[in-house]
Each structure stands twice: as C-alpha cells, then as structure tokens.
C-alpha cells in the first residue's frame, strides 16, 4: 500500500468518524513464538518486516499513538475499556517498573516525568515526560484504577544512558529519520503536519482512533527506510542499530507477557514502532542476539514534576507538541470546545483590564466555525480559533495575542509528585524546608520581597542563598524596590524548572541537608579560588548563615591574603569582607575575625597602590579605577580611624601625581572633593591646570573622564568647573577635537539621562550668558541689520 493511498484511507475514516476496522486486529500465535525461540539465528532478519495477520480472537493488540495527543489518549482509554486487557505494556524505560505503583496516588498530578540519573555522573540524565493527555499516561492510570499489571517495555534507562555516553565519546553523527507525520500530511495535501494530525486524530469527536490504519500507514513508510543488515552487525549506522534494539526489547517483553499466560496483552507505543510489534512475531533468537552484551550504567529513577511549557516544541523537546495548553483543553473538555476555550481567552484578556464581553466571545466562536467550514476542516482547530481570537477579541493586536499564547496555548503549569516518591535525601530536605517556610514550587516567575528582620523571611533568604551555593538557582536576587542604603530587605524572583531536580541530584554528594551540602561545597570551592574568590565565598557563606563553612574559609582567607601580591586582587577582596562584617548587625552572625583581615588588606593595598599605578595606560587604569572605587566605598563603610587615615593619604598622593594616567589622578581628585578633603576652589584650580593648553588633549580628556565619573550633577551645579571645561573644548584645534571626542562622548554617555539633561541645560544657560555679555559690548548698525532681520522674521512667520 502506498503512502498516498494509506493517508487517503486515514483521512476518509477520520472524516467519517468511524472506528478502526477489526480485520487487522493484532493476533499472536504463541506456539509460533515458542517454536521461533529454537529457530536458527539466520531464520529471520534482525529487522522484522510486517507479516499477515492471523484471523481470530487477538491475544495482543498494539495501539500506535502519538506520544502527546488528546485524541490518541481518549482512544486508548476507550480501547482499554472495551477490550479489558489482562496486562498493559507501555513504551518507557523497563527499569522504571517499580515506579508505576505511584500512578494514581494522591499528590501525583501531571505533567510529570520519569527521571533517570547516572550514579557516577549525575549531570547525565534522561527524561520521559507525561501529560494528562498523553496516551501512555492514560494507559498507566487505567491499569492503576483497575488493578491490572502494567509494565514499561522500552530499553532500560541504564542501557539508553550508556549508549548516549558511548555515542558522545565516539562522536557519532546523530542521523534522524524523516518525520512520519510530516510525510503522511504531505501525502494528504497538508502543508502543516500538526494540522493534519489534529484533523485526523486529535480533534475527532468519537473516542475511537484509526489505530490499524495508522499502523498500516507507518508500515508503508517504513518500507522506504534503510534496513539493518541481516546479521544485525554493530557496524550498521548508530541510529538504525538503536531503533532496532529498542524494538527487539519491546518484542521480548511481549513474548514474556504471553509466556506468563496473559490472555489479552495491550501494547501502547509510538505509531512508528507499531508495524513491527503487531501480528505474528518473528523468531526470538535474532532479537536476543541483538540485545546481548549491551553496556549498562548504574542509574537511579524517580518521578519528577514537569511543566507544560517543557512539553512544547519550542522548548527543544523532540516529541513535543506546538500547543500543550490547547491539547489539554481538547482532552478535558467534552462539549462546546471552541466556545469554552474562547471564554478562557476572554478571562486572560480581562485580567489585563481589557473590555471583552460575552458578545465578543459569541462572535469569535462563529468566526472560528465559519473559517473551519470554508477550509473544509471537520472542526475548528487551533489555527481557526487563534485567527478568530486575533480578529475579534484582540482587535488585530499581536501583542495581546502573544499573551493569550503564553498563558493558554502553551501554558505554564507545574505537576506534583507524592512525598514518598524515592529521591535523594537533599531533595527531601529541600521539600520539607520549603513546605515549612511556605515556599511553593511554581513554574511561573514569582516575586518575593523579604524583610530580614522577620524570622520567616530571614530563614527564606538563607535557604535561597544556600541553594545558590550548591548550584540550584531556584531564586535570583534583585535590588529591592524598597531598599535604600540598608541591608534589611531582599527581593527574589522564584522560578522552579525541572532541570533543578537534576541539579539537586548533582549536589547530593555534598550533603544530605541543604546547609550541610552548601557548607561542604563552599569550602571545596575556596580551595581552588584566588583571594577575591575566597572573599566572595566568605561573604556568601555569611549571607547564607553557614558558620561551619566559615571555620573552614578563614584559614584559606588568611593564607591567600598573605601570599597574593596583585594589588587588584587585594582591592577586590576588601569590599566583600567589609560587607560581610555588617551582617553581624543584620543577620545575627559573628564575624569579628573578618575585621582583622579586612584592615590588614587595606594596609597592603595602600602600600602596593603607588607602585601598581606607575606606567599603566589609560585602558588598564580604567580597570583599576573600578577596583579603587569599590575599595574606597568599603573603607568609608568600615569607618576604622587608622585605616581611613592611611587610605586618604594614599588617595591624596595619587591625586597629586603627574606621572600616572589622568583617569586615576582625576578620579582621586574627585574622591577627595566628594569626601570634603578638598575644597571646591582647590578642586576647580586643579581642574583648570589639568585642562591647560600645555597638556596633550588626550591626557586632559582622560583626567576629565576620571574626575567626572560618578555623576554629572557636580558639573551642572558648579558653573566654574563647567566654564573651565567649556573653554577647554572651545579652544581645541580641529584635529585634537576629533581625537578626544570619543572619550568625551563615553564620559557623558555614561551619565544617567537626568544628569545629562541637567548638564545640557547648564551648558545652554552658560551659552546664553556669554552671548548676552558679548552683545552688550557690540553696537549694531540699523541699516546693516534691517534686511537680514526682515528675512528672519518672514521665515518665522512674524510681521515685518
């Protein structure tokens, strides 16, 4: 049967809404299988072909499905109800069978996923996601509700992860077969495979799906696929060998179920595999040979929460669907599907304060139905509903439509798993702690404002900081909207992602609880860090309230401080230590030892800075200027008299030097002025000398850059400084102006918009004052100015 003919049959049966024919019900000849077990190895090919079906009551029925589809899910449920199998076999890793006992329990709410993680390399993991509209999930829940045995029949995760590792090590090309749904859709005249599948299967009103016809279609497509060599040679292309082994394992599981005496065996698998699993199975010996000696890795498996957005194709999930939210609606809604969907759309828009009435919903429903009729579709699909939404409810606004797509078409919902699902102790501790602190795991971003003077908020902050230390970034911290100069508030954005479960598994070797894991991890990280890195870890350990980690960090910090001769490293180490010292007041931690280290580093920085600034160019000076600024702020925050006095002497000496980059000497002058160690007249005098004609233009521009960095309001408020700068710019030669313009543009471009406007206003006023002064000394001849004045007035539309 050709692909076109098969596709036409599928579409015709789907349009008629009739059930699949029974002539191709899957029949297994158990005696044949037993005989095949003893057949010679070359009796059949390793890649079986589709064989004719026996006539009679079937012992095995194969339900070929798409992995996530509401029509397929309903059809599987209906087929299981009608046939009542004695065992259900589901495509999925065979070593996950013990986890099927959790299906149907309280707290198990899809979307969820089977998670397999390798014991020796936790970063290597695999997922098998399930939604409520996944046919496999419906098969699992049907079996759980009826007490029917259920098993997974795909290659064990231990084998699959071992093969993925070997493929990466061998750098084998990942060849992919042609998308079978796309091929059938093209044969049926559809450009969009999603729309074809939705018309044929997912939007069907009847519960039955054309399983047998779809299987025939897949068989026709498989005839054009390259076959595995007859001897099952491992030299075959990796993707062919992988698929052949998977299907061989599935057949072995079917044979095992038949040998156990099951009278009715239901197999729920991807439609692509269905042709080689139905009918009379080939000899078992080639399958056994193909599976013999496969490498394995030690893995642990569990159930993990999943999100609807991770079921979407755009997430990179290969078996994803374009619209998981729409498919969820198709599965759960039994009547008036379009109207109910558009009511939900209206709710999304109303929550954004948009006036959407019931009349809008009625009109959009009619438009979607008309579009489907014009296009010859059996029912309005997502395309018609989306166009109706855009035209009627969003009034053509694609931005509003994007909100609908994000909230409904894709959606963002996080599934849940029971508390007794096996997991690593670290994850169990996190979930218990989060429950105690009332921190829900959510798939949508949530802003959390914390007041650290409250016990619960302080505990939440410590938990989130500890998780960040072990690489579990549940929350990202922001500058609090209510924070000024204090440290009593933090703002976090919380977002739980499925891959954080893997991050917890990776962090599990560090400890069984979050505090223990964070303490061990931070001490281990310090061993390979330089001085700024160790001080940053000290600060983070204090924020996270890890006293055990601090005991291990302080000796490392002392050693690094004594050995590191890089002045930039010393300068960068001071701010974290000073900030950490403040936490003794805010967070209740004891940090007396840090003050001693911080003061010693200030002394070392003051001793090393004069030599470090000699001979460096402007670019290197800009990098060092940032470190000087940070250390300067830290010294002022520390407010230690001895250290402050030493620091001011060092800064003053730097400001007086003419043999260093103007970026640094200009910046030192500004620091002295802002702190009151230099009066405004002296600062203006130094500014004027630095911008004198005897100094090269680029040198003066660098000095001005250093002096003006940190705010332009000083320049806007001090007309003397502004006048000096204006006069210097006005006196530049053309080539000098072209040379320094990029530097000046960078200096003023870095100012906030409000400060730039203030400086611009001050310059304009300065210009008007100069023009007025100049005009006071000039007498104009009325006869000479009459003609040009009349022209200007005419251009301005004024009477002459």
């Amino acid at each position: 049967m050709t692909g076109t003919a098969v596709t036409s049959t599928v579409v015709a049966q789907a349009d008629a809404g009739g059930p699949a024919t029974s002539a191709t019900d899957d029949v297994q000849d158990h005696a044949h299988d037993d005989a095949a077990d003893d057949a010679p190895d070359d009796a059949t090919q390793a890649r079986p072909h589709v064989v004719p079906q026996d006539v009679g009551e079937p012992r095995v029925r194969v339900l070929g499905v798409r992995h996530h589809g509401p029509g397929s899910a309903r059809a599987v449920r209906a087929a299981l109800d009608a046939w009542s199998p004695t065992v259900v076999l589901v495509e999925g890793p065979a070593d996950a069978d013990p986890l099927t006992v959790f299906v149907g329990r309280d707290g198990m709410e899809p979307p969820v996923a089977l998670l397999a993680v390798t014991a020796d390399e936790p970063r290597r993991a695999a997922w098998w996601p399930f939604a409520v509209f996944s046919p496999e999930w419906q098969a699992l829940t049907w079996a759980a509700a009826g007490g029917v045995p259920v098993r997974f029949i795909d290659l064990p995760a231990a084998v699959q992860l071992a093969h993925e590792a070997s493929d990466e090590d061998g750098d084998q090309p990942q060849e992919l077969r042609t998308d079978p749904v796309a091929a059938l859709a093209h044969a049926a005249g559809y450009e969009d495979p999603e729309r074809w599948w939705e018309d044929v299967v997912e939007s069907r009103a009847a519960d039955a799906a054309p399983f047998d016809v779809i299987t025939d279609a897949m068989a026709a497509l498989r005839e054009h696929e390259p076959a595995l060599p007859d001897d099952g040679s491992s030299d075959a292309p990796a993707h062919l060998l992988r698929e052949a082994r998977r299907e061989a394992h599935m057949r072995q599981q079917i044979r095992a179920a038949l040998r156990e005496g099951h009278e009715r065996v239901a197999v729920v698998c991807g439609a692509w595999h269905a042709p080689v699993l139905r009918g009379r199975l080939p000899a078992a010996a080639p399958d056994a040979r193909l599976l013999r000696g496969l490498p394995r890795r030690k893995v642990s498996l569990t159930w993990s929460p999943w999100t609807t957005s991770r079921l979407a194709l755009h997430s990179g999930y290969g078996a994803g669907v374009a619209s998981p939210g729409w498919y969820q609606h198709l599965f759960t809604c039994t009547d008036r599907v379009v109207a109910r969907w558009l009511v939900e759309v209206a709710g999304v828009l109303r929550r954004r304060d948009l006036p959407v009435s019931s009349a809008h919903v009625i009109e959009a429903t009619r438009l979607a139905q008309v579009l489907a009729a014009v296009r010859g579709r059996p029912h309005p699909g997502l395309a018609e509903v989306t166009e109706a939404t855009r035209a009627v409810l969003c009034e053509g606004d694609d931005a509003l439509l994007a909100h609908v797509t994000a909230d409904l078409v894709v959606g963002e919902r996080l599934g849940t798993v029971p508390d007794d699902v096996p997991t690593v102790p670290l994850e169990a501790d996190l979930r218990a702690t989060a429950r105690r602190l009332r921190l829900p795991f959510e798939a949508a971003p949530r802003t959390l404002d914390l007041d650290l003077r409250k016990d619960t908020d302080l505990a939440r902050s410590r938990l989130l900081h500890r998780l960040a230390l072990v690489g579990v970034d549940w929350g990202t911290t922001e500058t609090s909207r209510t924070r000024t100069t204090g440290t009593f508030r933090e703002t976090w954005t919380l977002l739980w992602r499925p891959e954080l479960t893997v991050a917890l598994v990776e962090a599990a070797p560090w400890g069984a609880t979050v505090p223990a894991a964070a303490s061990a991890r931070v001490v281990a990280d310090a061993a390979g860090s330089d001085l700024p890195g160790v001080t940053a870890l000290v600060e983070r350990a204090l924020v996270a309230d890890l006293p055990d980690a601090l005991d291990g960090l302080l000796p490392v910090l002392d050693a690094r401080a004594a050995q590191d001769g890089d002045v930039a490293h010393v300068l960068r180490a001071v701010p974290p230590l000073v900030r950490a010292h403040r936490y003794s007041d805010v967070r209740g931690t004891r940090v007396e030892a840090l003050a001693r280290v911080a003061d010693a580093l200030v002394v070392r920085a003051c001793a090393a800075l004069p030599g470090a600034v000699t001979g460096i160019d402007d670019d290197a000076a800009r990098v060092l200027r940032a470190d000087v600024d940070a250390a300067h702020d830290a010294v002022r925050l520390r407010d230690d008299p001895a250290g402050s006095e030493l620091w001011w002497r060092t800064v003053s000496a730097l400001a007086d030097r003419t043999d260093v980059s103007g970026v640094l000497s200009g910046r030192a002058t500004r620091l002295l002025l802002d702190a009151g160690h230099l009066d405004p007249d002296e600062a203006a005098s130094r500014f004027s000398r630095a911008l004198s004609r005897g100094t090269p233009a680029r040198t003066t521009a660098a000095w001005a850059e250093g002096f003006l960095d940190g705010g332009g309001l000083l320049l806007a408020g001090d007309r003397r400084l502004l006048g000096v700068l204006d006069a210097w710019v006005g006196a530049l030669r053309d080539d000098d102006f072209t040379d320094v313009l990029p530097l000046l543009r960078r200096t003023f471009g870095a100012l906030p918009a409000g400060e730039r406007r203030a400086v611009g206003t001050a310059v304009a006023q300065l210009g008007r004052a100069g023009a007025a002064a100049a005009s006071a000394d000039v007498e104009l001849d009325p006869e000479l100015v009459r003609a040009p004045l009349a022209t200007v007035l005419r251009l301005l539309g004024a009477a002459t």
Side-chain angles (χ1 to χ4, degrees), residues 82-83 122 324 399 431 447 494 529 629 703 709 731 750 762 766 779:
W83 201 50
R431 294 192 176 277
T447 300
L494 302 185
S529 300
D629 281 350
W703 200 98
D709 182 52
L766 187 68
E779 294 184 3

Side-chain angles (χ1 to χ4, degrees), residues 610 613-616 618 650-666 668-669 685-686 689-692 694-696 698-700 702-703:
V613 300
T614 304
I616 63 175
D618 290 343
T650 303
V651 173
S652 181
L654 180 59
D656 292 337
R657 292 180 61 172
T658 58
D659 62 335
V660 300
S661 169
V663 172
L664 291 172
S665 57
T669 303
S685 177
R686 293 190 181 200
R689 287 198 303 270
L691 271 62
S692 63
T695 307
R698 289 188 66 86
T699 302
T700 57
W703 200 98

